[in-house]
Amino acid sequence: MASLDSPSLPPPRATAVLRWDIFCHVIDNYGDAGIAWRLARQLVAEQGQQVQLWLDDLPVLAALVPGVDENADRQCIDGVWLRQWLPDWQPEPVADVVVETFGCNIPAEYIDAMAASERPVLWLNLEYLSAEPWVEGCHGLPSKLPGNLQKYFFFPGFTDKTGGLLREADLLAQRDAFQGSKAEKIACLQSYDVRPEPQAMLISLFSYEVPALAGWLDDLREGEPVCLLIPQGRVWGDVERWLGVEALAVGEQYRRGSLTLHALPFAAQDDYDRLLWCCDFNIVRGEDSFVRAQWSGRPFLWHIYRQDDDAHRVKLEAFLALYLASFSETCGAALRQFWLDWNTGAELGDSWRTLRSERTGLQPGAQRWCEAQSQHENISQQIVTFAREGLIIAPADLA
Amino acid sequence: MKTAQDIKPHNVVLIDGSPWLVQKADYTKSGRNSAIMKMKLKNLLTGSSTETVYKFDDKVEMVSLDKIDTTFSYKADDLYVFVDEEYNQYELSAGDLETVLPFIVDGMTDICSAVFFEGKVISVDLPITIVRQIDYTEDAARGDTSGKVMKIAKLANGTEIKVPDFCNTGDWIEIDSRTTEYKCRTKAPA
């Protein structure tokens, strides 16, 4: 672990079970809460840690996790103590490890308490996921702040020199069991009242607004049958305009040529995984669903979060440079063009038809990528190791 | 205080009471219009270097260091002695001079800035443009006057820099002391 001059080494901890406070400020959408929750849950379930998750927008998490009471100040879900992060901060004991997600500003009083703590406290900033090469050079670096505090930047990523990806230990086994069972797939689809034609291509669509969506949907009306599953979200407006309906309602189905559209409810995290596992192609957005699509082992399109100065284009290209290495040249080129067209608002017809012509090569490539990524340690494993090293726990305590 | 995104190379920041020279500062967009600043810092008191990362809006304390005009006088043992116009002497080690050391030569007439922190001289800055003589370089290839073909030239103290192929041994050249890059040929200093 990098450090500035003359680090004052904290004394060994008495136990390997650390107390964690994870702070999450919901900026927009569902990724903030979803990622913070996954990390918290995995730290408890797989790493045996004690975790409090401080969240300033519980209704967002309630949409993702069944059983969350969006009004409770304090509740325990799956072993995670879920806390309302209110503007009026009340003093709380400082944890061993403090995680701010995506650089959120944790309460000043809490920072003061960290600085005053007689016990060592490790402060981490869990950053955004990016495939850009600079991430490797920044992962694990300290940030020296006023008041004798030091914070470390923890970067998720796709290589061994990064913090890895969020992945539950049994996720791929669960997925394999699901994808190996026709009955499970049918049951999952029927739970949404979806009964696709046997030869239909199943596509899930959970994206931001798409200027050229209408042209793509026009294209899907022709040719082989397509079953488009659309969980409630920002893309519904484009779909409504194309259908000529005022408002979609959950459970509605529309048939246009060889295209069938299903308006699905917003999916909780575990349900969304199963939906991804069902489909032949997934269209996802943001960060959390982007990662889940990769673990589905199915080909996908990433609708990336748009940033000023087209910064997102660089991030998109950086990921494509890694991801497409798992595909044949022609298949990779087809995927790349469809991704770029989708993310730049270009017409989608040509690139979609080319992609469909490469359909047989998509699934093996996606599987290869998923398999390669699963070889890396996941975030919860790496962040616990990082924390233990940061707090200088004696090896005997790690047993 | 400045925000981290406003920090530039050659700024000096104060961390834990020590002045740190910013040697490199890279601004990178991380996600959702957020950004980070990765910096390479050198402790001006100890000479040690480190890398660090800040959020773009983190507050960083700046240091304004006192500076006095000096000239290089002589080297005694391992110390480099600079004098100001009142003949006060300032001794610095090679470590203190790390980045400018390759351009310290006997007889240099550059007006240098001796840099002080809490009353103690900690380093010396050279003028942005310095003039040095090429002590040795290979003969120029015939006909190339474009300046695009570069070769190695040695200065009097052994420092090597890249110069255009048309430069010759004995030529005087201007060098950018911040980048250590050749700028142009010039006349000998008066």
Side-chain angles (χ1 to χ4, degrees), chain A residues 190-259:
Chain A
Q190 287 186 350
S191 72
Y192 298 111
D193 201 21
V194 173
R195 292 171 175 77
E197 297 171 46
Q199 300 307 316
M201 181 182 190
L202 260 64
I203 303 174
S204 75
L205 170 59
F206 184 63
S207 72
Y208 304 117
E209 296 80 0
V210 189
L213 190 76
W216 183 59
L217 294 176
D218 285 342
D219 213 66
L220 294 182
R221 287 194 299 200
E222 314 293 333
E224 296 172 49
V226 169
C227 183
L228 190 59
L229 310 177
I230 318 170
Q232 195 164 21
R234 287 170 55 175
V235 78
W236 268 29
D238 294 321
V239 176
E240 287 160 355
R241 275 186 289 284
W242 184 75
L243 286 168
V245 301
E246 194 169 325
L248 276 175
V250 169
E252 287 182 341
Q253 301 182 17
Y254 295 88
R255 179 82 186 221
R256 298 289 186 272
S258 52
L259 170 64

XYZ file of all heavy atoms in Angstrom, chain A residues 190-259:
557
model
N -42.647 -16.613 -17.369
C -44.091 -16.639 -17.108
C -44.474 -15.768 -15.912
O -45.608 -15.303 -15.824
C -44.554 -18.082 -16.907
C -44.585 -18.858 -18.222
C -45.182 -20.242 -18.083
O -45.410 -20.722 -16.969
N -45.420 -20.898 -19.215
N -43.516 -15.559 -15.020
C -43.817 -14.670 -13.887
C -44.087 -13.246 -14.371
O -44.694 -12.444 -13.668
C -42.673 -14.692 -12.867
O -41.543 -14.017 -13.375
N -43.608 -12.953 -15.589
C -43.908 -11.654 -16.210
C -45.002 -11.789 -17.274
O -45.208 -10.878 -18.077
C -42.655 -11.088 -16.880
C -41.506 -10.811 -15.941
C -40.339 -11.581 -15.984
C -41.566 -9.771 -15.016
C -39.276 -11.327 -15.137
C -40.507 -9.511 -14.170
C -39.368 -10.296 -14.228
O -38.318 -10.029 -13.384
N -45.602 -12.961 -17.317
C -46.606 -13.254 -18.338
C -46.004 -13.182 -19.739
O -46.659 -12.739 -20.697
C -47.796 -12.287 -18.213
C -49.041 -12.866 -18.882
O -49.097 -14.103 -19.075
O -49.943 -12.080 -19.229
N -44.768 -13.616 -19.841
C -44.085 -13.642 -21.140
C -44.024 -15.083 -21.614
O -43.478 -15.953 -20.919
C -42.662 -13.057 -21.025
C -41.905 -13.240 -22.344
C -42.707 -11.590 -20.628
N -44.580 -15.323 -22.792
C -44.545 -16.665 -23.389
C -44.058 -16.521 -24.822
O -44.858 -16.473 -25.764
C -45.944 -17.300 -23.333
C -46.384 -17.609 -21.905
C -47.831 -18.038 -21.816
N -48.179 -18.447 -20.459
C -48.408 -17.610 -19.439
N -48.320 -16.301 -19.629
N -48.709 -18.064 -18.243
N -42.752 -16.462 -25.004
C -42.222 -16.185 -26.342
C -42.382 -17.365 -27.290
O -42.474 -18.515 -26.845
C -40.743 -15.912 -26.061
C -40.441 -16.657 -24.818
C -41.689 -16.646 -24.006
N -42.399 -17.044 -28.583
C -42.365 -18.111 -29.580
C -41.055 -18.869 -29.405
O -40.038 -18.276 -29.033
C -42.415 -17.515 -30.986
C -43.691 -16.758 -31.297
C -43.572 -16.021 -32.629
O -43.109 -16.638 -33.601
O -43.927 -14.830 -32.662
N -41.047 -20.140 -29.707
C -39.839 -20.953 -29.449
C -38.585 -20.401 -30.127
O -37.504 -20.473 -29.570
C -40.215 -22.329 -30.016
C -41.699 -22.356 -30.005
C -42.170 -20.956 -30.213
N -38.718 -19.850 -31.317
C -37.546 -19.385 -32.059
C -37.241 -17.909 -31.823
O -36.307 -17.366 -32.421
C -37.764 -19.616 -33.564
C -37.992 -21.060 -33.940
C -36.903 -21.979 -33.418
O -35.707 -21.658 -33.511
N -37.287 -23.100 -32.827
N -38.019 -17.267 -30.989
C -37.850 -15.816 -30.824
C -36.525 -15.502 -30.133
O -36.093 -16.206 -29.220
C -39.007 -15.249 -30.019
N -35.919 -14.418 -30.596
C -34.727 -13.904 -29.913
C -35.202 -13.051 -28.743
O -35.998 -12.123 -28.931
C -33.896 -13.058 -30.880
C -32.627 -12.504 -30.285
S -31.739 -11.469 -31.488
C -30.189 -11.215 -30.638
N -34.718 -13.367 -27.553
C -35.119 -12.609 -26.354
C -34.109 -11.494 -26.095
O -32.915 -11.756 -25.962
C -35.184 -13.526 -25.139
C -36.575 -14.016 -24.721
C -37.166 -14.890 -25.810
C -36.507 -14.750 -23.397
N -34.620 -10.290 -26.016
C -33.752 -9.137 -25.748
C -34.334 -8.371 -24.568
O -35.529 -8.059 -24.559
C -33.682 -8.192 -26.970
C -33.197 -8.939 -28.216
C -32.773 -7.001 -26.674
C -33.240 -8.103 -29.487
N -33.487 -8.067 -23.594
C -33.935 -7.170 -22.523
C -33.442 -5.762 -22.837
O -32.344 -5.580 -23.378
C -33.406 -7.626 -21.159
O -32.036 -7.330 -21.022
N -34.262 -4.766 -22.506
C -33.925 -3.383 -22.825
C -34.082 -2.532 -21.563
O -35.209 -2.267 -21.117
C -34.856 -2.871 -23.940
C -34.801 -1.373 -24.249
C -33.400 -0.952 -24.671
C -35.818 -1.010 -25.339
N -32.938 -2.156 -20.978
C -32.957 -1.281 -19.809
C -31.880 -0.223 -20.049
O -30.729 -0.375 -19.666
C -32.665 -2.081 -18.535
C -32.757 -1.253 -17.279
C -33.958 -0.674 -16.902
C -31.647 -1.061 -16.474
C -34.037 0.095 -15.743
C -31.722 -0.291 -15.315
C -32.920 0.286 -14.953
N -32.294 0.837 -20.731
C -31.306 1.838 -21.140
C -31.803 3.226 -20.762
O -32.903 3.388 -20.229
C -31.080 1.771 -22.650
O -32.203 2.296 -23.330
N -30.937 4.222 -21.034
C -31.400 5.601 -20.956
C -32.221 5.899 -22.212
O -32.457 5.002 -23.029
C -30.191 6.546 -20.865
C -29.255 6.244 -19.718
C -27.939 5.856 -19.950
C -29.684 6.346 -18.398
C -27.077 5.577 -18.898
C -28.826 6.075 -17.343
C -27.523 5.683 -17.602
O -26.676 5.397 -16.561
N -32.613 7.132 -22.367
C -33.348 7.518 -23.555
C -32.466 7.287 -24.800
O -31.255 7.503 -24.762
C -33.756 8.995 -23.480
C -34.729 9.318 -22.352
C -34.064 9.469 -20.977
O -32.830 9.325 -20.892
O -34.783 9.721 -19.992
N -33.106 6.854 -25.889
C -32.360 6.522 -27.108
C -32.994 7.255 -28.288
O -34.098 6.898 -28.722
C -32.399 5.002 -27.391
C -31.448 4.651 -28.530
C -32.067 4.212 -26.148
N -32.313 8.254 -28.832
C -32.912 9.037 -29.922
C -33.320 8.177 -31.121
O -34.336 8.455 -31.768
C -31.786 10.010 -30.314
C -30.879 10.082 -29.136
C -30.985 8.764 -28.439
N -32.543 7.170 -31.435
C -32.811 6.388 -32.653
C -33.569 5.098 -32.357
O -33.579 4.194 -33.194
C -31.489 6.077 -33.341
N -34.220 5.031 -31.208
C -34.879 3.772 -30.847
C -35.974 3.406 -31.848
O -36.142 2.231 -32.199
C -35.483 3.864 -29.436
C -35.977 2.524 -28.905
C -34.807 1.657 -28.459
C -36.946 2.697 -27.737
N -36.715 4.403 -32.312
C -37.842 4.120 -33.200
C -37.383 3.375 -34.447
O -38.021 2.399 -34.879
C -38.548 5.428 -33.575
N -36.276 3.823 -35.023
C -35.766 3.157 -36.223
C -35.380 1.716 -35.947
O -35.605 0.824 -36.774
N -34.813 1.492 -34.795
C -34.413 0.121 -34.434
C -35.644 -0.761 -34.243
O -35.694 -1.899 -34.713
C -33.573 0.164 -33.159
C -33.037 -1.163 -32.709
C -32.216 -1.989 -33.415
C -33.285 -1.816 -31.463
N -31.920 -3.105 -32.681
C -32.562 -3.031 -31.476
C -34.029 -1.490 -30.326
C -32.579 -3.921 -30.401
C -34.036 -2.376 -29.260
C -33.318 -3.578 -29.301
N -36.659 -0.212 -33.564
C -37.883 -0.993 -33.356
C -38.561 -1.278 -34.705
O -39.094 -2.376 -34.917
C -38.836 -0.239 -32.418
C -38.327 -0.058 -30.976
C -39.314 0.779 -30.157
C -38.086 -1.404 -30.296
N -38.503 -0.297 -35.610
C -39.029 -0.543 -36.963
C -38.341 -1.752 -37.579
O -38.974 -2.609 -38.196
C -38.773 0.674 -37.860
C -39.715 1.837 -37.548
O -40.763 1.594 -36.908
O -39.388 2.975 -37.938
N -37.039 -1.787 -37.396
C -36.254 -2.871 -37.974
C -36.617 -4.216 -37.358
O -36.641 -5.236 -38.048
C -34.766 -2.587 -37.730
C -33.916 -3.097 -38.863
O -34.044 -2.559 -39.976
O -33.147 -4.051 -38.618
N -36.902 -4.215 -36.076
C -37.219 -5.474 -35.394
C -38.566 -6.043 -35.834
O -38.845 -7.220 -35.597
C -37.229 -5.265 -33.871
C -35.888 -4.919 -33.204
C -36.068 -4.804 -31.680
C -34.818 -5.953 -33.516
N -39.380 -5.213 -36.448
C -40.694 -5.715 -36.901
C -40.560 -6.699 -38.044
O -41.458 -7.496 -38.299
C -41.568 -4.539 -37.366
C -42.071 -3.700 -36.240
C -43.175 -2.798 -36.698
N -42.718 -1.874 -37.746
C -43.340 -0.746 -38.060
N -44.449 -0.407 -37.423
N -42.886 0.042 -39.004
N -39.435 -6.585 -38.749
C -39.228 -7.431 -39.925
C -38.346 -8.617 -39.544
O -37.526 -8.523 -38.656
C -38.521 -6.632 -41.035
C -39.096 -5.251 -41.279
C -40.505 -5.303 -41.842
O -40.833 -6.313 -42.505
O -41.283 -4.356 -41.595
N -38.520 -9.698 -40.256
C -37.597 -10.833 -40.113
C -37.930 -11.751 -38.954
O -39.109 -11.944 -38.613
N -36.873 -12.295 -38.370
C -37.051 -13.307 -37.329
C -37.779 -12.716 -36.121
O -37.631 -11.529 -35.825
C -35.684 -13.827 -36.871
C -34.903 -14.555 -37.939
C -33.497 -14.873 -37.482
O -33.325 -15.405 -36.364
O -32.554 -14.556 -38.226
N -38.533 -13.552 -35.423
C -39.271 -13.032 -34.267
C -38.345 -12.567 -33.144
O -37.314 -13.194 -32.878
C -40.123 -14.225 -33.815
C -39.498 -15.418 -34.411
C -38.807 -14.982 -35.672
N -38.723 -11.468 -32.563
C -37.978 -10.905 -31.436
C -38.945 -10.629 -30.299
O -40.044 -10.105 -30.517
C -37.259 -9.595 -31.824
C -36.727 -8.882 -30.583
C -36.127 -9.861 -32.796
N -38.539 -11.002 -29.106
C -39.337 -10.718 -27.912
C -38.548 -9.721 -27.077
O -37.464 -10.039 -26.564
C -39.564 -12.029 -27.148
S -40.600 -11.844 -25.708
N -39.062 -8.519 -26.977
C -38.337 -7.438 -26.311
C -38.931 -7.208 -24.923
O -40.114 -6.851 -24.789
C -38.445 -6.174 -27.164
C -37.581 -4.984 -26.780
C -36.101 -5.337 -26.814
C -37.857 -3.808 -27.729
N -38.095 -7.400 -23.905
C -38.545 -7.290 -22.519
C -38.028 -5.970 -21.954
O -36.811 -5.755 -21.904
C -38.004 -8.470 -21.704
C -38.252 -9.851 -22.333
C -37.609 -10.943 -21.493
C -39.740 -10.100 -22.496
N -38.950 -5.105 -21.550
C -38.553 -3.739 -21.207
C -38.966 -3.408 -19.766
O -40.092 -2.965 -19.510
C -39.213 -2.723 -22.174
C -39.161 -3.240 -23.611
C -38.541 -1.371 -22.062
C -39.981 -2.429 -24.583
N -38.045 -3.596 -18.826
C -38.371 -3.192 -17.444
C -38.624 -1.684 -17.380
O -38.036 -0.910 -18.143
C -37.104 -3.561 -16.650
C -36.396 -4.566 -17.488
C -36.709 -4.199 -18.913
N -39.483 -1.314 -16.476
C -39.849 0.097 -16.327
C -38.600 0.959 -16.131
O -37.722 0.632 -15.333
C -40.754 0.248 -15.106
C -41.471 1.560 -15.039
C -42.619 1.512 -14.050
O -42.650 0.666 -13.159
N -43.577 2.404 -14.206
N -38.549 2.034 -16.875
C -37.368 2.889 -16.762
C -37.414 4.011 -17.777
O -38.448 4.266 -18.416
N -36.286 4.665 -17.929
C -36.243 5.904 -18.706
C -36.514 5.700 -20.184
O -36.897 6.642 -20.882
C -34.888 6.582 -18.480
C -34.804 7.197 -17.095
C -33.424 7.665 -16.729
N -32.846 8.589 -17.696
C -31.675 9.191 -17.519
N -30.998 8.970 -16.407
N -31.197 10.002 -18.434
N -36.301 4.502 -20.689
C -36.508 4.272 -22.117
C -37.993 4.118 -22.467
O -38.375 4.120 -23.640
C -35.693 3.031 -22.581
C -36.393 1.740 -22.184
C -35.432 3.087 -24.075
N -38.817 3.977 -21.463
C -40.256 3.779 -21.722
C -40.851 4.921 -22.562
O -41.735 4.691 -23.372
C -41.021 3.652 -20.389
C -41.146 2.219 -19.931
C -40.284 1.205 -20.185
C -42.206 1.658 -19.145
N -40.715 0.044 -19.589
C -41.897 0.291 -18.946
C -43.354 2.163 -18.566
C -42.718 -0.574 -18.217
C -44.178 1.297 -17.826
C -43.858 -0.058 -17.662
N -40.380 6.127 -22.350
C -40.919 7.260 -23.105
C -40.727 7.074 -24.595
O -41.653 7.328 -25.392
N -39.542 6.625 -25.001
C -39.278 6.384 -26.422
C -40.163 5.260 -26.955
O -40.640 5.318 -28.092
C -37.807 6.007 -26.627
C -36.874 7.156 -26.285
O -37.228 8.315 -26.601
O -35.807 6.904 -25.704
N -40.367 4.246 -26.142
C -41.194 3.111 -26.553
C -42.654 3.559 -26.700
O -43.336 3.194 -27.667
C -41.069 1.955 -25.542
C -42.003 0.805 -25.917
C -39.626 1.459 -25.455
N -43.099 4.358 -25.754
C -44.487 4.861 -25.822
C -44.702 5.664 -27.099
O -45.716 5.500 -27.789
C -44.781 5.729 -24.588
C -44.943 4.928 -23.305
C -44.739 5.769 -22.043
O -44.385 6.963 -22.167
O -44.896 5.216 -20.940
N -43.752 6.510 -27.429
C -43.903 7.319 -28.656
C -43.942 6.426 -29.882
O -44.719 6.645 -30.801
C -42.741 8.321 -28.752
C -42.983 9.608 -27.967
C -41.899 10.624 -28.193
N -40.650 10.258 -27.559
C -40.421 10.372 -26.246
N -41.347 10.855 -25.447
N -39.262 10.014 -25.747
N -43.116 5.412 -29.896
C -43.087 4.525 -31.063
C -44.395 3.737 -31.190
O -44.919 3.559 -32.279
C -41.904 3.564 -30.953
C -41.751 2.687 -32.164
C -41.266 3.040 -33.388
C -42.112 1.305 -32.263
N -41.296 1.972 -34.240
C -41.806 0.884 -33.576
C -42.654 0.379 -31.368
C -42.032 -0.418 -34.027
C -42.866 -0.924 -31.817
C -42.556 -1.308 -33.128
N -44.895 3.312 -30.045
C -46.149 2.553 -30.061
C -47.358 3.454 -30.308
O -48.426 2.980 -30.724
C -46.337 1.830 -28.715
C -45.459 0.608 -28.447
C -45.567 0.196 -26.981
C -45.846 -0.555 -29.357
N -47.196 4.738 -30.028
C -48.321 5.658 -30.146
C -49.296 5.535 -28.993
O -50.500 5.780 -29.165
N -48.766 5.169 -27.847
C -49.627 5.078 -26.656
C -49.233 6.195 -25.688
O -48.097 6.665 -25.683
C -49.512 3.706 -25.955
C -49.897 2.592 -26.910
C -48.107 3.484 -25.400
N -50.190 6.582 -24.881
C -49.920 7.683 -23.954
C -48.982 7.257 -22.834
O -48.050 7.979 -22.482
C -51.236 8.195 -23.364
C -51.079 9.525 -22.664
C -52.439 10.129 -22.337
O -53.381 9.954 -23.128
O -52.531 10.754 -21.283
N -49.269 6.084 -22.289
C -48.434 5.616 -21.176
C -48.440 4.096 -21.152
O -49.509 3.472 -21.210
C -48.958 6.162 -19.849
N -47.240 3.532 -21.067
C -47.132 2.084 -20.905
C -47.553 1.711 -19.487
O -47.368 2.498 -18.553
C -45.688 1.633 -21.099
C -45.165 1.390 -22.514
C -43.681 1.063 -22.450
C -45.925 0.249 -23.179
N -48.085 0.530 -19.358
C -48.406 0.021 -18.023
C -47.750 -1.341 -17.872
O -47.644 -2.116 -18.838
C -49.912 -0.099 -17.841
N -47.276 -1.606 -16.673
C -46.624 -2.889 -16.402
C -47.571 -4.027 -16.764
O -48.756 -4.001 -16.419
C -46.228 -2.988 -14.910
C -45.798 -4.405 -14.553
C -45.108 -2.001 -14.594
N -47.051 -5.002 -17.475
C -47.835 -6.170 -17.855
C -48.394 -6.086 -19.258
O -48.857 -7.096 -19.801
N -48.346 -4.905 -19.856
C -48.896 -4.774 -21.213
C -47.981 -5.438 -22.227
O -46.763 -5.460 -22.069
C -49.059 -3.290 -21.573
C -50.222 -2.637 -20.846
C -50.409 -1.181 -21.256
O -49.466 -0.580 -21.809
O -51.499 -0.653 -21.005
N -48.620 -5.944 -23.284
C -47.871 -6.555 -24.374
C -48.349 -5.941 -25.678
O -49.547 -5.643 -25.833
C -48.113 -8.061 -24.432
C -47.734 -8.793 -23.167
C -47.944 -10.295 -23.283
O -48.084 -10.833 -24.377
N -47.951 -10.964 -22.134
N -47.448 -5.769 -26.607
C -47.792 -5.220 -27.925
C -47.117 -6.072 -28.993
O -45.965 -6.480 -28.829
C -47.312 -3.768 -28.061
C -48.013 -2.820 -27.112
C -47.520 -2.611 -25.821
C -49.163 -2.144 -27.505
C -48.161 -1.749 -24.937
C -49.810 -1.274 -26.629
C -49.305 -1.082 -25.358
O -49.942 -0.224 -24.494
N -47.835 -6.298 -30.051
C -47.276 -7.065 -31.166
C -47.194 -6.151 -32.377
O -48.189 -5.516 -32.751
C -48.188 -8.261 -31.451
C -47.739 -9.126 -32.596
C -46.682 -10.089 -32.130
N -46.126 -10.830 -33.252
C -45.840 -12.120 -33.212
N -46.061 -12.808 -32.122
N -45.307 -12.728 -34.257
N -46.042 -6.042 -32.962
C -45.829 -5.254 -34.179
C -44.998 -6.106 -35.131
O -43.789 -6.228 -34.972
C -45.091 -3.946 -33.885
C -45.821 -2.986 -32.943
C -47.032 -2.355 -33.625
N -47.665 -1.332 -32.794
C -48.616 -1.569 -31.879
N -49.023 -2.822 -31.681
N -49.130 -0.581 -31.182
N -45.648 -6.679 -36.145
C -44.919 -7.560 -37.056
C -44.355 -8.734 -36.290
O -45.066 -9.395 -35.514
N -43.071 -8.966 -36.482
C -42.451 -10.101 -35.774
C -41.897 -9.696 -34.413
O -41.198 -10.469 -33.769
C -41.337 -10.716 -36.638
O -40.446 -9.730 -37.057
N -42.199 -8.479 -34.030
C -41.714 -7.982 -32.725
C -42.834 -7.997 -31.680
O -43.923 -7.478 -31.937
C -41.193 -6.544 -32.886
C -40.876 -5.778 -31.603
C -39.726 -6.430 -30.833
C -40.525 -4.318 -31.914
